[in-house]
Amino acid sequence: LGVDPDAPERGDGGLVEPLRTMYLPLIESCRRGLSGSRLEEWTGTIQGRVALVVVLDQFPRLVVPGTPDMLMCAGLAQEVAKEVLSDQGEELPWAHRLFCYLALMHAEDLELVSEGALNILRLTESFDSRESYRGLSAHLRDTWLVAQEHL
């Protein structure tokens, strides 16, 4: 990626600019959907579809934070995440499910936010009860409860 480990002044270790250069054009090609986009071929496998969720949901938040473009493909990421979860569900590795649930938590639809938070909560509760998971689990439980209050 061309990561610059001597770039601590940016607080990102030099990671953001290479990601922006490599992935922003790919993400922007999906603004009008996957059909005809530069990432359309990723839809052929489950791993490719999960990678789409990560690239379309997480990467814009990193490479164009605080701008409207940060959410340019959030809805598309949520559609793909719902399809992946519907097709594969519990058969998916936990990390794949986690990224799909995170995409749902970024939705404007509070039912999707609630679904994502609740499923991440369930996922984390299946782990060992180490301290780091307890903190994440508590945060997700609180997010789910807030979403439930607004439904």
Side-chain angles (χ1 to χ4, degrees):
L1 280 177
V3 175
D4 178 6
D6 297 321
E9 69 280 355
R10 289 194 306 266
D12 63 17
L15 181 63
V16 171
E17 193 54 42
L19 287 176
R20 182 179 295 118
T21 301
M22 288 177 63
Y23 288 99
L24 192 55
L26 298 174
I27 296 165
E28 288 175 335
S29 78
C30 297
R31 281 185 189 262
R32 291 189 252 310
L34 289 172
S35 182
S37 75
R38 294 173 60 190
L39 297 179
E40 182 178 16
E41 66 187 48
W42 291 20
T43 62
T45 66
I46 196 67
Q47 293 85 0
R49 292 191 299 165
V50 172
L52 270 171
V53 171
V54 173
V55 168
L56 298 176
D57 181 62
Q58 296 293 312
F59 282 26
R61 295 168 191 284
L62 180 66
V63 301
V64 286
T67 69
D69 284 347
M70 181 177 87
L71 304 174
M72 74 177 97
C73 291
L76 182 56
Q78 291 152 19
E79 287 176 32
V80 174
K82 288 188 292 185
E83 291 171 9
V84 167
L85 291 166
S86 175
D87 291 349
Q88 299 290 312
E90 297 296 314
E91 295 174 26
L92 284 171
W94 72 266
H96 290 100
R97 284 185 281 154
L98 176 63
F99 279 110
C100 289
Y101 297 146
L102 281 171
L104 298 183
M105 284 184 60
H106 293 146
E108 292 185 15
D109 178 339
L110 287 176
E111 287 185 32
L112 286 179
V113 172
S114 179
E115 178 184 340
L118 181 60
N119 282 306
I120 293 174
L121 178 62
R122 289 178 179 148
L123 189 62
T124 60
E125 287 176 346
S126 70
F127 293 136
D128 295 335
S129 60
R130 290 179 277 177
E131 199 59 40
S132 61
Y133 295 120
R134 283 191 207 136
L136 176 59
S137 183
H139 172 73
L140 294 168
R141 184 177 300 113
D142 293 345
T143 302
W144 180 75
L145 290 171
V146 169
Q148 289 300 303
E149 290 173 10
H150 293 91
L151 286 177

